[in-house]
Each structure stands twice: as structure tokens, then as C-alpha cells.
Amino acid sequence: MSTSTAEGRLLRYVDALQEAFAQEMARDESVFLFGLDVDDHKSIQGSTRGLLQEFGPERVFTTPLSEDAMTGMAIGAAMAGMRPIHVHIRMDFLLLCMNQLVNIAAKAHSMYGGSVKVPLVVRSMVGKSWGQGAQHSQALHSLFMHIPGLKIVAPSNAHDAKGCMIAAIRDDNPVLVMEHRLLYGTEAYVPEAPFEVRPGRARVVGPGDDITVVAISNMVPECLRARDLVAEVGISAEVIDPVWLQPLDIDSLLASARRTRRLLVADNAWLPCGASAEIIAAVLERAGPDAGIMVRRIGFAPVTCPPSPPLEAAFYPNPGTVASAIHAMVRPAAPAWQPDPERTRLSYQSSFCGPF
Amino acid sequence: MSTSTAEGRLLRYVDALQEAFAQEMARDESVFLFGLDVDDHKSIQGSTRGLLQEFGPERVFTTPLSEDAMTGMAIGAAMAGMRPIHVHIRMDFLLLCMNQLVNIAAKAHSMYGGSVKVPLVVRSMVGKSWGQGAQHSQALHSLFMHIPGLKIVAPSNAHDAKGCMIAAIRDDNPVLVMEHRLLYGTEAYVPEAPFEVRPGRARVVGPGDDITVVAISNMVPECLRARDLVAEVGISAEVIDPVWLQPLDIDSLLASARRTRRLLVADNAWLPCGASAEIIAAVLERAGPDAGIMVRRIGFAPVTCPPSPPLEAAFYPNPGTVASAIHAMVRPAAPAWQPDPERTRLSYQSSFCGPF
Amino acid sequence: MNPENRGDSDTQTIVRLYRRMRLIRHLEEEIARVYPTDKIKSPIHLSIGQEFIAVGVCDVLTAKDRVSITYRGHAAYVAKGGDLRALVAEMYGKRTGCAKGRGGSMHLIDMDAGVIGASAVVGTNIPVAVGFALAAKRQRSGQVTVCFLGDGATEEGCFAESLNFAALHKLPILFVCENNGYAIHEPLSKRWATDRLVERVATYGIPADRISDGSLTTVRARAAEAITAMRAGAGPAFLEVLCYRWQEHVGPNRDYDQGYRSADELAPWKADDQVARLADRIEPALRARIDAEIRVQVAEAFTFAEASPFPEPEELYEHVYS
Amino acid sequence: MNPENRGDSDTQTIVRLYRRMRLIRHLEEEIARVYPTDKIKSPIHLSIGQEFIAVGVCDVLTAKDRVSITYRGHAAYVAKGGDLRALVAEMYGKRTGCAKGRGGSMHLIDMDAGVIGASAVVGTNIPVAVGFALAAKRQRSGQVTVCFLGDGATEEGCFAESLNFAALHKLPILFVCENNGYAIHEPLSKRWATDRLVERVATYGIPADRISDGSLTTVRARAAEAITAMRAGAGPAFLEVLCYRWQEHVGPNRDYDQGYRSADELAPWKADDQVARLADRIEPALRARIDAEIRVQVAEAFTFAEASPFPEPEELYEHVYS
Ligand SMILES: Cc1ncc(C[n+]2csc(CCOP(=O)(O)OP(=O)(O)O)c2C)c(N)n1
Ligand SMILES: Cc1ncc(C[n+]2csc(CCOP(=O)(O)OP(=O)(O)O)c2C)c(N)n1
Ligand SMILES: [Mg+2]
Ligand SMILES: [Mg+2]
């Protein structure tokens, strides 16, 4: 927090989130934050640290285990002019409140002819590793991308965690923020003053010429690592973070893919009807049949997430499998290639350790 | 019901469904059917007609309005060796039981290491027209296609309604059957004896050479009508019904698209992260960059479904808009073309009339 | 002097209530009459026979207070002062509708009148109403929220969740369960293990009452008590009001020939029709004048709806995001 | 003659119960001891201090009966006779685990022993258990189902929905709420409007009892009554059992230094530890022998787990569809 630069201080993702809440709650009385455990001593891994003390129990409160009604409650409060932030410690739990999110939050503005707004933020975290297993590991953004009326953002670094969260809080529509458990400890330079990373612009996080790799959420750092790995064998990969998934900045993805003529989408989720399918379909629909863009998706294996370590390792894409996929696309004639397994081991795999 | 041929009798979709239940319930004691209103005098538009009388209230029963628990209940009964069929009169209501469907039904076999099975059938109907509006009109199949462990089928005609339903009932996995309200009155030849239309094979419902039109659910008859319309201007469209959406017979769709080099997917749903995105991404991933296949999606407008008639008409694709899209893809250089609006009016639009 | 303002306040109240009751009854009869013409292309759920609940409850609310209604919500919408013309226009799918043709009969709203919307997914409005109550409490606005719901809605999990939360936070919300004994064609006996609903609600520490005499006066009195306590900070309250749906579940007709219920069930309710009961207490000339005014008012709303333009197809893309 | 079979049936019962209690306690202590080695890469929720509930209830069940458990389910799994080695192997993620390494600590299952699974999404097991009870009733198998749930789970809508349905259909299911006063770190006071849970459950026509003496004997007696009635066709029953979680919510440690609760809360529960209470009633030599046997049994389960192979990565694709 001391290393201040023109672009801000080095801050952890989780602290950037906390700063976004603290600043927005101070700015706007109508913002309140609630959900299971937001007010306990662990304060959602620290992301809600100090908020109870600063803003009091009317604006920072836990709830009964009633995700469905609590979502409806937040929607009602939002329609009545407040700006609720609802926190879920796992994205899997959103399945309990799909009705309110899809049938009311997404639709209220429209089905009431514009006479109400739903400025609601729903925070949810994707769990990964350490045996999270079947029901604590899902990344379900595509379910929400399917529904008009919702916005979805998946910040992949501390800078965006703050900027996107502030944009989400200020947005007059329901915004789902997909956070990722493994990103919480990652650091980036983050401006101290409030700022917004608004919907509409994907970001090139690593330039390149041979292939476009669109990486979502935690796949961004993993794909950057893959980019380093393939660079060692002379492949130049461009890694793009869409940041906002709805609305999606297809133009930027298309421009890159047109140039590299290869498009790999690495999602932090299952593939069928996923964000990766959407990106590929949307890019190719616009690119036309003569663009000659090779496409591929990489993501969760098409199975339920297993907790057993070797199965879990096989379930997730990683820098090594991404690098292999890049290599296969860029040099289809060459024999299959895998980077040195030692080099593909991610730093978080040694630093993150159970139980939750 | 008298017009018997080698392939069966002309039967309405709704009666074909009813026949499937009657035959399977007679064959297998473990099958039971439940859900709101299955036992009333309207018997879900007739699709459960006579079942209460034939099989009694232990095997045919209504429930409280508790979609979430009723789904869990069905899952438990299935794990205990029964074969429940759960009926929802609108697909929108599945949003109330997503947790059970996704977190338990889809995962139980896997997360319990194969020690249980969930032979559950979930019937749900897509509502359309007559002001069904925001919450009674959704087709949410893509949400379920995203989740490993579920199967999804969308019969588009009476023959498949019976054959797919029987296959679903006999399947040892949870199967979601997406029915369509507007298909209920349509007739087809249906064998009298029980038969299965199993997962795995798409069906060419209208052959053609210039373009491949993949049509889902109620879009099948609408695309066949579009096929007739474009035939009048010399375009030969192949219409393919995937029938089962999970597993999806990509091979057949790919083979057709490779041949026609044009792929239009017409879905009965929103496009982003939809079945249409999946089909396009999967086909192009396999076809490779040199296949030169032009792709396009058509489906619900990216808005909440409005009940007002002119807005509702603009919300849905129809034979006219499909025909225009086909024309634009096959003759990109030609000026935009629209079939005579009189000819595009669908027969059901005059025959179906409110309130529900 | 306006004859409605003549006499004691009791008479004024009766006249006011009669006006509301008659307006709703006549409106719904007109909807039923027009429906077969197919001008209203939206599923209609009439509340004929049940109006006394909405009218009794809304009569003790202020304009600033709010009501959350169901798809069977014409009565509460009108009773709370929702714009009549906008209601009919909405059913016609017109641009002048209360939801600009995007709601239809099942999603009525009039934020200016405190009608905060309706859901076609049963029970879904309950927690949303709780959220309005939370906001009112936090904003210290003094507004109370009334949440109408059917007997079927009490079977949805969110009902229990909402009660617990509303009680925990002592929110200013009155839940009103319109128990008409049916969910579509399914009677309570197939859906409720027992009928001890108010007892159950009371275990949350929520004062809960069952009104079984079908009387507008009783409903109004109990609602008044609850709302008064609430304005003094008492937290949520609950009323279960027994009633009867005279028409079919959805659509304009009667359905006693369908076998799931008999006209005998209707008879006592009809005999005690609260519209007629109030009518009996009003001087015939005044009544005739009111009836005539209401006929005009309703006819005018239909004329307005008919004359209003449909939205243009291009407007489809409006109001998705704000 | 086996000394455990000597003496009156009361003694036999005490020994049997002690064996179960000690086995569970020792197992969980071993899990806690091993956990810091990172060999168990799965979130563990220990039930140390709460074992008396599972042991008391399961003691009155037959092998054919079923229990639905929670992610805090080691005790009930073992009490119902679930395979010990398969449990430990599952926590290790081994192929020999009760779910072949696909469940982890939060999804224990042993269908042969009547352990029908656990969900990591709170409350989700409740309706599933009801479905097993429905199946048993329809199949006329005579099996009863016990559904364990936490106090937090009662706040989920599906709990109310499930009670209503189970009561409506008179299903043979005993709901057992292990009320340890906390959901993670949140006390009841922040989650329950009142603590009148059993009263609420009773409004469904379900006999409901609260056990607050922390006694295994009481739990067993009440469960026995309920199950006996159920076998005679009485329909569902409900027990709320007050208890206390000695360890942190998830993980192997104590957490009285974290500020959300004080060790004073623990003191009375510890003083009345039901494992020690039973131990006191058993002759020391026999007790020592049992303890030794249990140590061997548990050690053997860990050895088995350690020695078992991990699944091969290729096995990932198994068991998606059946
Ligand atoms: C969640 C849900 N389930 C089922 C339906 C279908 N449905 C529409 S109205 C209705 C009956 C609701 O009964 P009740 O709450 O008593 O209200 P009433 O119609 O009697 O006024 C049902 C089951 C629905 N709209 N939403
Ligand atoms: C639906 C859902 N919401 C939240 C969580 C996070 N969570 C895990 S355990 C737990 C506490 C549950 O409390 P209780 O039911 O009392 O069981 P206990 O842990 O005390 O045994 C919570 C909130 C979850 N797993 N599932
Ligand atoms: Mg009703
Ligand atoms: Mg607890």
C-alpha cells in the first residue's frame, strides 16, 4: 500500500473491492450492503472489512439463509430508490434466486414500461481448488448473459475490481459481479480516488500477432502465463480481457481475431452455451465466411467438478493446457507440444491452501 | 385418429404426449406423474387426460405451489428407484427450482460416485402469443444445456413428442422436455405401439442445397414454412431439427453446413449464450477456418417479451423474417427481400386464441 | 352541496367504499364483456366477488403508502387509486397503458399511486414488497406497504422466508392473503396439510388474524388496526381473508359446469355480495347517480384504450436497460 | 462370552452407544490432527460435541432405514453404519472413497448403509429426503427416512415447502434439526425473528418437540417414539435438538479467540460431554478395550485411505451420465 505511483498504489483485489464499497457508501447514502456473513470477523475474506463499523448495522447486515427472498427484498429496495449490494460467497448459490434475478430484476424496468429501475449489485464468488467440489465451484455467468436486462462483469485484477464495482454500484440496472476466489490475493496498481470501469470496452492485457486469446475472469492471469510459455517457442499471443460480459465488446475481439486469424476463448466455466460459445458465434457471425478465422474454446471439462486432486487438476484448464492449445492452433502441422510442467505450475497453487 | 398408416395414426402432439404417459405408466409401476394441475379437468391441455382415472391418485397428483421442494422430492424419489415425471405449465417456473435441477439432479450421479441415478423427467411448456408477456414466454433450454449431467429434448412434432417422451422416461438421467404450447394442436403420424426417439440423431425435415437451417422446437414448422417461401424464389433450404439438444448431434449439422456452406440457426429463444450460439461455435470449431461457412442466428429479440400485439409480433422470428434471413445469406448481393406478408401469416395465428 | 359529503362521516365512508366497489365490479364486468371480441389479448384474472378485501384494506392507506399486487390485481390497483384508463389501455396493449404495453393484465403498476407492480409468477411479489418496506423504514418515510397474495402463494418458500425477514427487521408491511380456497382448480385440501395458517404466521411474532365473515367492514377495521400499530413502529402484520372467486381462474366466464366446484359454493357468497350490501345502505337516487357516473368513467376508460395507439414495432427495443 | 453382551440390555445399549460416540469423536479428532498435513484437501465441517444427536437418532433405526445428512455429516454417516474406510478415503480424494473422490467431505454417501447423501448447499437435502420418504411409502417398503438439518437450513424456503408436503402426504420422515445456535459465525438472533420453531412446525400437523437438555438418552427416547408412531403410519415428525459446535465452522481448529463467541458458551456443553457421560457408565477395563479397538479401527481407516490410489485423470469423464 506504500508503493504509490501515478496510477495508484499496489493493492490486493480484495482490498480494492473493500475500497470501492467504502467510498461508494460514503458518497451515497442509498447504498447498502448485505448478505450472509458480510458483518462477521472474517468479513467475506476481508472484502467488507470495517464497513459495519463505518456505516452501521442498518447499511451492513447479515441475513437469514434465504437467498430467494433476500434477492426479492433487494429488488424491492432498489425499485424504491435504494442501491443494494447483495453478497453471495459462492456463485452456485445464485441458483436459489434465479427466479427473482431473471423474472423480476432483469425484467422489472421493461415489463413495467420504464416506470421503475433496479439498481442492484449482486456479488458472487467463484470457488476453485482445495476440493470445492460439485456445488462450490461453478461459474454461471453464461446463464445470466442469456437474459436481457442484466449486466455482468468479471473483473480479473485489482484495478478492475474497484473500477467495475464502482461502475456497477452507480449503474441503474441490475449488475452481477463475478469475482474469483483465487484472484483475491492478486495485486495491481489501483487509483485511490473513486473511478469507474464502465461497460463497453475489452482490454488487451498482452499484445500479440499470431493468435487472439480471449480470457475470462481467473483465466486472464492463467492465459498471460500461457502467453509467456508460448513466447518461449516463438509464438506471439494476444490476450484480451472482455472485462464486461454483458454488454460484450465484440468489436474489439473481432478486430483482434481478424488480424491474428486465430481465436481461442478461455473461459472459467463450462463450454456448451457458454460465454465462449457466444464470443465465437458473435465474432464469426460478423467476420463473415471469408475471414478464415480458426476458433477454439477451452474451459471446464464437461463433467461435474470433482474434489479429488488429480481429477480436479484435470477438470480445469491451466497455463499448460492453454499453451498447448495455442500451439496446436498456430502450428497445426507441428507435433503436439506441451510446455515443461514445472513452468506451468501456477504460483497460486503453492500459495493457496485450504480449507476454504 | 382413424387415418392409420404404416407409420401410425394422425395424432395431435398433445394426444401423443398423453399416449406416451399412458403406455409407460402401464408398463412400469415406478413411473408417476405429478405437478400443479395434472389431475384437474383441463389435465394440462389434455396431455394428462384420463391418467388419474387409470392410475389413481398415488401415481397422478397435484402439489402445493412449491416448485423447489417438489423438484427435490422428485429427485429423491428417483434416487430411491422411482421414475417421476414433473410437470410445469410454463418453462419460466423452472427458475424456481434451478438449485435442485442444477445442484442436485444434474450432479447426483457424479458427485456420489455413481452410487445413485436420477431418472427424472421434467416437462415444461414454452408459452407464446396472446400476451403471455415477460414471465410466461421464456424458452430457457440453453441454461440447462450449459450444465453437464442433464439431457434436454425439444420435440417439434407429435411423432417426436411421443417417441422422445418415452425415451426420456426410460432414460436413467434427468431429462428436461421442452414442449411448446403452439405445437400442442399440430398433427403427425404416430405409431400406436410404444417407441423411442433416443438422443443422438438430428433429423432433416426438409432437404435442400443452398443453406442449412437448424430449427429448434416451434421454429421447425415456422422454418419449414420459410423453406416453402424461399423455394418460390428458387432457393433450396435444408431444414434440420436437432430434436435432442443435449446431447447434440453436431456431426449431422456439420455435414449439412459443410455442404451448403451456409448455416442459419433459428431458435425459439434469446441468442446470447443460447443453443444457437452453441451450434454455431461447435460447427465452426470442427469445420476449421477454411470451410468458409457463413453463419447467422435468429431468435427472440434481445428484450423482455412484451404482451402488446405489435411488439409481440416484432419480438418473435416468423416464417417471413426467417425467409428474409435465408435470402440475405444465399443472395448477399441482391437487394433485401421479403415474402408477401399474406403468405407468411402462420396458420396458428388465426386458430389460436386466448386467454391461455 | 355534494350529496356524498352530506350526512355523518359513516355515510361518507359507505359512499366512498361503494364507489370503489362498484367501480371495480363494473370495470371487471366490462372487461369480461369485451373479452370475447379479442381486443384484450392478455390473460385476465378477474377478482369479481373478492373486491371487498382490496377495497377494505386500501381505504385505510394514504396516497403515499404502497400496495404490491398479484396477477389477479385489478381490484387492488383500482382500490389504491391506480389510473383506470392506463389499466384498460394496458390490457389492450396500448402505448398509453400503465406499463406502455409491456406488462399486460398480469403486470399492472402505477408508481404514482403507490401500486408497485405485480408478478405472474405466484409469490414472487412477496419479497419484493418486503424490500419496499425495508426501504421505507430506512428512508424513514413513514410509508407502509401492503402485500396482497393468494392462498397458493403461501405455499411458495419465499413466503416463509419473507415473513421471517420482515419480522426480524420489524418492517412496516401488512401481508394480506386472499384465501379463495383454490389455486386454479386445485382446492386447499390438496395443497395445505392443515389450515392453521394464521397460527403459523404468528410464530414469527407477527400479529395474524383470519377474517372469515366475508365483510368489507371487518377487513377495513382489522386493516386499520394493523396499519395504525405499524405507523407507531409495530412491525409486520398478517391478515388471512376468506373469499370466493366467482369467475373462472383466468378468462371472462363462470365455470361451475366444469366439475371441480359446484355453484352451491358460490351461493352464500353471492347472497352476501358486498357490493349489494353497500348499495342497500345508500339512498337509491344517490346510488343511481354514482352508478351512472361509474358507467361513464369505465366507458371512457375503454374509449381511451381503444383510441390509443399501439406501440410501433421499433419501440420494442426501448426500456431494456435504463 | 463377549463382555459387551454381558449384563442387562441397558448396559448393552450403553456400550453400543458409547462405541458409536467414541468412534465418531476419535475419528473427527484424527481428521483434525491430520488436516494440517494437507492430505485432506476438502473443506471439513466437524461435529465434535454434536454427535449425541446422530447417535441417539440412528440407534433406533434399522439398517434399511435412511438418513439424509448435511455437509456436517461425519457423525450421522458413521452413526448410521456408513463405511468408515470409504469415508476417510473420500476425504483424501481417493478412488476407494464412498463417492470415488467425486464427493469430498461435503457429499458423503453410502447407499448400502442407508446414507442417502449430503448437499453443500444448505437445506437442499431436505426435499430430496422427502422424496425418499415418498418412494418408501409408495413402495410400501416400511423404511423411514431421517432428515438431518441445521438451524440455518430452517430459514430456506424449501424447508417450509417440504414440511407442508410431507405432512399433506403423511410421509414417514423424521426431521431432526441440529440447532447449534450458529450459521457459520452468525447467531440465531440475527437470523430468526423468534425461536418458536417447533410451534411453527406443529401448525402443519407435525408432532414437534424441542430437546434442550443435551442428552443422548432424551434424543434417543424421543426419536424412538416418533419412529414407532411412524412405522404405525403416523406421518412425519420433527425434533429440534439444541447442541453446540465445539470447533470452528469449517476446519480443524477451535475459534473462541475470534470474537464472535466466547468459550463461556462452550463450558456447560463440555462439562456435560455425552461421550464422557457414557464413558462414566462403563466399567474401566471394558472402556479401555473399546477405546483401543476404536483407535485401531480409525487408524486402519486412515491407513486404508493413504494406501488407496488416487483416481487417474482419465477417470474424470466417468459418471457424468448413467
Ligand atoms: C410459481 C408459479 N407456479 C404456478 C403458476 C401457475 N398458476 C398461475 S395462478 C395459480 C394459482 C395461484 O393461486 P392463489 O395464490 O391462491 O391465487 P388465486 O389465483 O386464487 O387468486 C397458479 C398455480 C404460476 N403462475 N407461478
Ligand atoms: C444455500 C447456502 N447458503 C449459504 C451457504 C454458506 N454456508 C455454508 S454452511 C452455512 C451455515 C449453515 O448453518 P446451519 O444450517 O445452522 O448448519 P451448521 O453449519 O451450524 O451445522 C452457510 C451459511 C451454503 N452452503 N448454502
Ligand atoms: Mg387462491
Ligand atoms: Mg447451525
Side-chain angles (χ1 to χ4, degrees), chain A residues 171-183:
Chain A
D171 201 292
D172 274 342
N173 300 283
V175 180
L176 183 68
V177 183
M178 177 167 79
E179 304 169 10
H180 196 291
R181 185 76 179 72
L182 294 187
L183 292 170

Side-chain angles (χ1 to χ4, degrees), chain A residues 7-78:
Chain A
E7 298 124 342
R9 310 117 315 139
L10 211 49
L11 214 61
R12 290 188 311 154
Y13 190 99
V14 62
D15 298 319
L17 288 173
Q18 192 277 346
E19 191 166 274
F21 303 130
Q23 291 179 345
E24 287 301 289
M25 292 182 75
R27 185 188 61 80
D28 183 347
E29 275 275 314
S30 65
V31 178
F32 68 94
L33 185 145
F34 75 104
L36 282 163
D37 313 324
V38 300
D39 64 351
D40 74 11
H41 59 283
K42 295 215 170 162
S43 57
I44 315 289
Q45 316 292 332
S47 66
T48 62
R49 197 184 43 245
L51 300 177
L52 171 66
Q53 292 69 26
E54 196 169 344
F55 303 104
E58 280 215 343
R59 293 181 64 195
V60 180
F61 57 91
T62 191
T63 73
L65 279 74
S66 305
E67 285 82 357
D68 183 18
M70 292 304 93
T71 305
M73 183 277 283
I75 294 168

Side-chain angles (χ1 to χ4, degrees), chain A residues 37 39-41 62-67 96 130-132 135-136 301-303 306-308 310-311 314-315 353 355-356, chain D residues 35 38 41 43 93 101-104 107 119-122 152 155-156 184-186 190-191 258 260 310-312 316-317 320:
Chain A
D37 313 324
D39 64 351
D40 74 11
H41 59 283
T62 191
T63 73
L65 279 74
S66 305
E67 285 82 357
L96 287 158
W130 211 263
Q132 296 288 298
Q135 300 173 333
H136 275 53
V303 309
S308 173
L311 297 180
F315 175 78
C353 139
F356 244 45
Chain D
Y35 206 69
D38 283 352
K41 291 193 178 65
R102 284 170 172 79
H107 301 288
S119 174
V121 182
V122 174
E155 298 151 24
E156 292 287 356
I184 308 188
H185 312 112
E186 303 290 7
K190 288 194 195 175
R191 301 182 285 113
Q258 296 296 302
Y260 77 98
F310 278 112
E312 293 298 325
L316 178 62
Y317 297 90
V320 183

Side-chain angles (χ1 to χ4, degrees), chain C residues 50 71-72 150-152 178-184 191 245:
Chain C
Q50 305 187 184
Y71 53 88
R72 194 180 305 288
D151 46 291
E178 303 182 315
N179 182 352
N180 60 15
Y182 288 93
I184 308 188
R191 302 182 284 113
R245 162 170 62 73

Side-chain angles (χ1 to χ4, degrees), chain B residues 288-323:
Chain B
D290 305 324
I293 299 171
M294 180 190 289
V295 293
R296 190 167 156 193
R297 299 176 276 176
I298 190 166
F300 291 175
V303 308
T304 297
C305 179
S308 173
L311 296 180
E312 194 177 52
F315 175 78
Y316 288 108
N318 62 48
T321 55
V322 173

